[in-house]
Amino acid sequence: MQIHVTSGNIAQQATDCIVVNLFEGVAHPGGATGAVDNALSGAISRLIASGDFSGEANTTALLYTDGKIAAPRVLVVGLGQSEKFDLHGVRKAAAATVNALAKLKGVKNVATIVHGAGIAGLDTAAAAQTLAEGTLLAAYVSPQYKREPQSAALASCTVVEFDATKVDAVQAGVDRGVGIAAGVYSARNYVSEPPNVLYPVEFASRARAMAAETGLACTVLGEAEMRELKMGILLAVSLGSVREAQLIILEHAPAGTENDAPLVLVGKGITFDTGGISIKPSANMWLMKDDMGGAAAVIGAMESLARLGVPKRVIGVAACVENMPDGGAFRPGDIVTGMTGKTAEIISTDAEGRLVLADALAYVARYNPAAVVDLATLTGAVGVALGPHAAGLFANDDALKDALLAAADQSGERLWHLPLYDEYLDTIKSDMAEVQNSGGRMGGVGTSAKFIEHFTEGYPWAHLDIASMVWDSNGKNPLAPKGAVGYGVRLLVELAEQW
Ligand code: BES
Ligand code: MN
Ligand code: ZN
């Protein structure tokens, strides 16, 4: 979908539908909504008086204009109580608009005002950014494999600003929203793709193509190079697969930042997780195509950072492997040695995410990072603890933890801080190796994080367990259709900008 910005009066736009808004409890709207109400001889006031529409958040009402203005339809979107309205409200109102209009076959092109930039007093550019984000995020359509592919319901959205002195700020905000949504769309596409299409080598070639387009530097290590680096823990996971493992490295270093200590983002990229020899039950196994959601978030965020020209040095690393059972596969009981010389005993080949991260996190020490943040669909246990409402956050550094929590607040992509108790290490002590890759059911989220911490050295580090966030099965998320969420991209862009 295209998003345009123009200066003018929303009531005069010639398009399929114009969008205005209403705070809860307002009987006679003012501003742009009031101007449209006047042009419609009080139709919006009468709608409110009827009791059918109160301006409750995320509700909408549709009016037909009977030739009184150029647009045949007006959609009024509720913003809820004005005291509670914030940028998250703008994002949700935009999404509610798209979700309501998607049901109308005759609506392809719409025009909207910027919610909240008037009486709610939100920063104009920030409100325009979240308006564009919410609009695009809700309008996403996954890759299609049908003979009659589904396409986006809306073709264009024009953001109309009455105050000519604010148009540049609106345009700047919209551009940022578009740049962020591009990274989220890419992340959703990577996650949505079936595992026979998107395997490590294909993932790497998509990352290369994106890097060539956006100006990122891209390096990909194959198995021979990883063997050379003695990444024996990561490579063990790949033994059962005929698909070659890939370590994808993207670098964003705008002029002047080349020598800065970088923020390093690391993503778990298991393109399909069968569990390996510790094979998973077959019900729902198909969904393990989303086990590269961490890598997708990292590569998507790198794309957004490049598109937005964020003036920070950031390196993104995606550890991409397929976890399959096979005669050559690694086994429970195997002891493997990674890049740092540290050893791990395999208790379950299904606890493979922490294994690929162990070597990826050892690898990134070479950058002398200012901080390292890994994202991984690591445990089912995090979903048991938090539900699909927040990712688990672990950190060995308070400043990094606080920066992540602030980025979560700003982006609306929630995090919840969980402990890295020393006692967790006792649970993963192995008789023969330094650590073992599973500590059993009790405290399963914490012990997985503790395992990873064992392989991090010399930098502030945080781990985000995003297993319950990457895929939405119930379709109730207004900001994403059912399926891939693209969780983490907006959070990471915010972190990189604030860090
Ligand atoms: N990829 C899974 C975690 C997962 C589970 C993600 C459900 C999304 C939904 C991970 O590799 C895994 O299998 N973890 C095991 C760890 C266990 C064997 C210690 C788990 O959570 O059961
Ligand atoms: Mn697994
Ligand atoms: Zn996994």
Side-chain angles (χ1 to χ4, degrees), residues 268 273 280 288 291 348 350-352 354 377-380 438 467:
K268 169 179 172 181
D273 181 15
K280 288 181 180 292
M288 280 298 118
D291 211 17
S348 169
D350 197 13
E352 83 298 335
R354 64 200 76 182
T377 48
L378 210 66
T379 67
S438 170

Side-chain angles (χ1 to χ4, degrees), residues 59-138:
T59 62
T60 59
L62 183 69
L63 296 172
Y64 289 86
T65 62
D66 296 330
K68 288 186 177 135
I69 58 175
R73 304 172 191 80
V74 175
L75 188 84
V76 190
V77 58
L79 302 184
Q81 297 169 22
S82 57
E83 319 83 75
K84 289 192 186 158
F85 192 68
D86 60 9
L87 291 172
H88 300 307
V90 179
R91 205 184 276 115
K92 283 191 214 147
T97 299
V98 170
N99 294 331
L101 295 177
K103 297 187 188 106
L104 307 176
K105 292 249 169 9
V107 176
K108 292 286 163 214
N109 303 296
V110 304
T112 182
I113 56 171
V114 181
H115 310 301
I119 50 176
L122 299 179
D123 175 70
T124 303
Q129 175 190 330
T130 41
L131 177 75
E133 275 178 31
T135 302
L136 290 166
L137 294 181

Side-chain angles (χ1 to χ4, degrees), residues 24-198:
E24 212 167 332
V26 172
H28 298 287
T33 309
V36 174
D37 190 33
N38 289 338
L40 299 181
S41 328
I44 298 177
S45 294
R46 285 195 298 282
L47 168 72
I48 300 164
S50 76
D52 292 350
F53 182 73
S54 66
E56 194 184 319
N58 309 321
T59 62
T60 59
L62 183 69
L63 296 172
Y64 289 86
T65 62
D66 296 330
K68 288 186 177 135
I69 58 175
R73 304 172 191 80
V74 175
L75 188 84
V76 190
V77 58
L79 302 184
Q81 297 169 22
S82 57
E83 319 83 75
K84 289 192 186 158
F85 192 68
D86 60 9
L87 291 172
H88 300 307
V90 179
R91 205 184 276 115
K92 283 191 214 147
T97 299
V98 170
N99 294 331
L101 295 177
K103 297 187 188 106
L104 307 176
K105 292 249 169 9
V107 176
K108 292 286 163 214
N109 303 296
V110 304
T112 182
I113 56 171
V114 181
H115 310 301
I119 50 176
L122 299 179
D123 175 70
T124 303
Q129 175 190 330
T130 41
L131 177 75
E133 275 178 31
T135 302
L136 290 166
L137 294 181
Y140 174 78
V141 178
S142 70
Q144 295 286 308
Y145 288 85
K146 295 178 183 174
R147 282 172 299 169
E148 283 175 36
Q150 186 194 335
S151 56
L154 299 180
S156 81
C157 176
T158 302
V159 181
V160 183
E161 175 55 55
F162 188 70
D163 182 345
T165 65
K166 288 185 172 172
V167 171
D168 287 351
V170 171
Q171 183 69 60
V174 165
D175 289 347
R176 281 180 50 79
V178 169
I180 291 168
V184 178
Y185 270 42
S186 293
R188 287 180 183 176
N189 287 342
Y190 303 142
V191 170
S192 301
E193 287 290 14
N196 60 328
V197 170
L198 193 133

